Amino acid sequence: VAGFRGSPDNVRDVRGFSVKFYTEEGNWDFVGNNMPVFFIQDAIKFPDVIHAVKPEPHNEIPQASSAHDNFWDFISLMPESMHMIMWVMSDRALPRSYAEMEGFGVHTFRMIDVKGKSRFVKFHWKPVAGVQSLVWDENQKIAGNDPDFHRRNLAEMIEEGNFPEFELGVQVVEEEDEFAFGFDLLDPTKIIPEELVPVQKIGKMTLNRNPDNFFAETEQVAFHPGHVVPGIDFTNDPLLQGRLFSYIDTQISRLGGPNFNEIPINRPISDVHNNQRDGMHRQTIDKGVANYFPNTRGGGCPMMAPESAGGYTHHMERVEGHKIRERSDSFKDYFSQAKLFYDSMADIEKRHILDAFQFELSKVKDKAIRERMVYMIANIDKNLAGKIAEGVGVSKPTDKARIKEVARDAKPQKKGAKHTDKSPALSMENLKGDSIKGRKVAVIIEEGFDFVAVSGLKKALEKEKSSAKIVSKFHGPIKSKTGEMLDTDETLATCASVLFDAIYIPGGADSVNKMKKMGDVRHFILETYKHCKTVGATDEATALLREVLFDGNTGDLKQPGVVTGLALKGMKDFSGQFKQALLQYRHWERVSDIDRVPA
């Protein structure tokens, strides 16, 4: 069972990516997110970060948004959050689809081999389709056009047989290398850069079935990081230790009592027994007179199974030192990995991070909070902080003492340890897939369109497990210039360019002449172009593109991701070029040109 969750679709968000494995030794829950770190190091702060990001209590505004005073007030006082904030302000927070989103276990766990040898491990899900994102303007518009965009996309891909695939990977660190890095392996605000410890692929998950009943199989599923099986164990990560307690409380409250593990979707397929009796919604009818241990009346049962009988036992480790409520100094390197993340981004990704900070902080009314955040960001990159300051109406951070003051008790990364200044694995520009499986292309037609051209592109896309959706002004069969009829899938009133990955307009003089007078078609073309997606046209439709994109006939259509051709010469060459452009997905080379294009 794979579960995806987040705020209402299409807001900047941390999205859950959790999987329940039904093994012969019980259930293992891989409870993860689409980001490999978290805001806090201490579980006691979990309620605070949740309260801060929720709507402000005096007016319940804004809903499903972090762009408000309370959230940024909290973050500006929590330097440990800065690595996570860089992820949240990046394109990683705007996944194109759940099928193109990485998953991470966040915490460092242990894996124990058959000889009892312990190693540290971080778990990963790597999408076979690669990693892609939306852009912010597109993201906001999708929220209005289709609030169920991500859920619908996933369900449709599975229904159409374009099954999303994810490879399970692990980063393994020998116990004796625990202190070989410039960071603490048990700090949940840190990653292990893949350049230092490569991700080893050990399996693949294919999502090949939708739920039969969404409530029974999805709403009632109970994920809990404490659900592990022999061979997997916990570490002393303080945030993980807190989650081991809190998730049980959550499921008891959410699912109506202590027997939530007996709900069918949560029930292990193996015959697992425990000493839990009765309670609300108990499904098992226990027999016998003894319901305690030790006992003689029931022959010693129920009893805890020893390791020799397959029972679970925790790894034994030696622990020394004073028990105090304070984090280790090794947890106080707040900024090195935030800087690593930013420095690893491509130029377009850095631009988007800047835009995100300017948008979010411009929504903050309290100037002192905006200013404090700018000074906090200066601990990561002073140039970025200065540009953010220009956009949010505060002075550039020039006071070195204040830059240090907002960082509180921060310490630099440990010197002489394993480290890297850049990690190519962090940039989505390096994580593109090698297929166009699941891509959706809007084919816009009116009466008199070129049927042969449309049919040729549809066949070429279907061969790659992509789809062409026919869009017109009205629903119903549309007559081609040669008399064939083609049914529409959507109308211009019921869809938008942001719901598609590309646009194609076929020739046909009558069809194109009608579209030249349709503002919705013009908007569709402009918006697709502005979002740096593929735009295609053949024959008479190329003149329409030139007119819309360049206000006349003088513009050069030889722009990245703009594919034109003559259907009369056959659609094979055009289709090949179109598929290649669709594979690249975003054509960021157009960025310098799109500011002139209206939103």
Side-chain angles (χ1 to χ4, degrees), residues 39-53:
F39 296 96
I40 53 175
Q41 298 168 330
D42 185 350
I44 201 69
K45 300 300 294 181
F46 217 121
D48 292 296
V49 68
I50 299 302
H51 289 166
V53 77

Side-chain angles (χ1 to χ4, degrees), residues 49 83 107 121 126 163 169 172 194-196 214 217 311 328-329 376 396 400 402 416 433 437 449 492 516 574-575:
V49 68
H83 187 196
H107 303 288
V121 62
K126 298 287 189 181
F163 301 140
V172 180
E194 294 184 28
E195 291 71 25
L196 301 183
F214 196 87
E217 297 180 272
S328 166
D329 279 352
M376 184 75 81
K396 291 185 177 182
K400 293 181 180 179
R402 191 173 181 199
K437 175 177 153 182
F449 70 95
L492 291 167
K516 284 182 178 180
F574 175 84
S575 296

Side-chain angles (χ1 to χ4, degrees), residues 568-586:
L568 294 175
K569 293 184 177 180
M571 287 294 288
K572 185 175 181 180
D573 288 344
F574 175 84
S575 296
Q577 293 176 43
F578 191 85
K579 287 189 292 184
Q580 193 60 40
L582 194 55
L583 177 63
Q584 186 172 333
Y585 193 51
R586 302 283 182 184

Side-chain angles (χ1 to χ4, degrees), residues 196-267:
L196 301 183
V197 180
V199 175
Q200 302 176 57
K201 308 287 182 61
I202 60 173
K204 182 187 284 186
M205 173 176 68
T206 301
L207 303 185
N208 60 8
R209 182 178 73 83
N210 282 313
D212 293 316
N213 182 288
F214 196 87
F215 180 83
E217 297 180 272
T218 302
E219 287 296 321
Q220 289 192 126
V221 70
F223 292 112
H224 174 35
H227 290 164
V228 294
V229 292
I232 301 173
D233 208 340
F234 315 115
T235 62
N236 293 320
D237 172 343
L239 182 60
L240 173 59
Q241 290 293 325
R243 293 178 74 193
L244 297 179
F245 286 94
S246 67
Y247 274 59
I248 282 286
D249 286 342
T250 297
Q251 306 304 355
I252 288 174
S253 300
R254 187 173 73 90
L255 296 172
N259 291 306
F260 62 85
N261 281 323
E262 295 196 42
I263 296 172
I265 197 64
N266 297 318
R267 190 182 301 151

Side-chain angles (χ1 to χ4, degrees), residues 503-521:
I503 180 178
Y504 166 62
I505 303 176
D510 290 346
S511 174
V512 171
N513 286 334
K514 290 184 179 72
M515 284 191 265
K516 284 182 178 180
K517 302 173 184 177
M518 296 168 63
D520 286 345
V521 173

Side-chain angles (χ1 to χ4, degrees), residues 286-306:
D286 296 292
K287 299 177 181 179
V289 297
N291 56 3
Y292 54 91
F293 178 83
N295 70 73
T296 59
R297 299 194 66 201
C301 294
M303 64 176 285
M304 292 292 291

